[in-house]
Amino acid sequence: MIRPIVTRLGHSALAIAPAIVALHSGIATAQVPDLIENNLLAELIQVDLYLGRDIADGGTVSDEEFEAFLETEITPRFPDGLTVWDAAGRYRAESGELIVEPSNVVRLVFLDTQAKEAALMAVIQAYIAQFDQESVMVLVDEDVTVEFVPALQEEAVPAIFSE
C-alpha cells in the first residue's frame, strides 16, 4: 500500500507537519509525529522525499548546497544507501497560479524502526530550516520487496521472480 504522509499547510503543495512541541514538567520537548505504522517486527519500507529547490525569499538551492546537505544530513542517518534524481515539481498556489519548481527526489529503503523514523523527521526538519522551505512532501510505501540479484551462472530464477 502506498500512502502519502502529508497534510496541507496553507499551501497547495502537500506537506509534512512540523514536529509537535509538548510540555513535560515545564520543559518544552519536540515529539516526533508517528509518520509510519510500526509493526512488531521491523520490515523494509520505501520512503521518497520530494525536496523543492526554490528558496522562499528568492534564489535556488545550488547543486553544491544540495550535495553538501546529502553528505551532512541524509547519508550519515541512512548510510546503507539512497538514490537521488532530479525532478520538476508542480503545484497550484492558493492564488491559482501554477508553480513549477526544480526539485530532487531522495529514495530511501530501510527497516521501519522508531529510530529510523526519528532520523527521517530530523532530515525533513533540517531541510526545511536550512533552505527556508514551507514543507517537504513524503511518500511512504510499506509494501516493498527488495532483493539484490547477482549475475546468473545458469538459468536460475531469483526468488523475487518465482513467487
Side-chain angles (χ1 to χ4, degrees):
M1 170 178 82
I2 297 177
R3 64 181 173 92
I5 307 300
V6 293
T7 184
R8 296 181 93 99
L9 294 178
H11 183 286
S12 292
L14 297 174
I16 281 294
I20 301 166
V21 175
L23 290 174
H24 296 287
S25 303
I27 301 171
T29 59
Q31 293 180 340
V32 177
D34 188 18
L35 297 177
I36 305 162
E37 295 175 21
N38 297 95
N39 296 325
L40 292 177
L41 296 175
E43 297 176 326
L44 285 176
I45 62 169
Q46 174 183 301
V47 175
D48 293 343
L49 300 176
Y50 291 79
L51 304 170
R53 302 275 296 260
D54 283 350
I55 298 172
D57 293 333
T60 302
V61 176
S62 70
D63 290 342
E64 293 78 18
E65 290 170 318
F66 188 79
E67 184 63 33
F69 184 83
L70 284 173
E71 293 300 320
T72 60
E73 298 291 342
I74 301 178
T75 302
R77 290 181 173 100
F78 297 93
D80 292 334
L82 54 94
T83 301
V84 179
W85 66 90
D86 295 331
R90 291 175 175 255
Y91 64 92
R92 189 156 312 279
E94 288 182 13
S95 67
E97 177 185 7
L98 179 64
I99 306 297
V100 178
E101 174 180 24
S103 302
N104 286 99
V105 180
V106 176
R107 174 162 293 164
L108 302 162
V109 177
F110 55 88
L111 283 176
D112 181 12
T113 65
Q114 290 178 345
K116 285 298 186 184
E117 197 169 316
L120 181 65
M121 184 54 74
V123 166
I124 292 166
Q125 293 305 310
Y127 194 81
I128 289 170
Q130 187 171 336
F131 299 116
D132 195 20
Q133 299 292 301
E134 185 176 317
S135 61
V136 167
M137 188 175 112
V138 179
L139 183 78
V140 176
D141 186 348
E142 295 178 315
D143 186 27
V144 296
T145 301
V146 177
E147 182 174 339
F148 288 91
V149 179
L152 298 177
Q153 300 300 324
E154 297 179 21
E155 295 293 320
V157 177
I160 193 171
F161 301 115
S162 63
E163 293 179 1

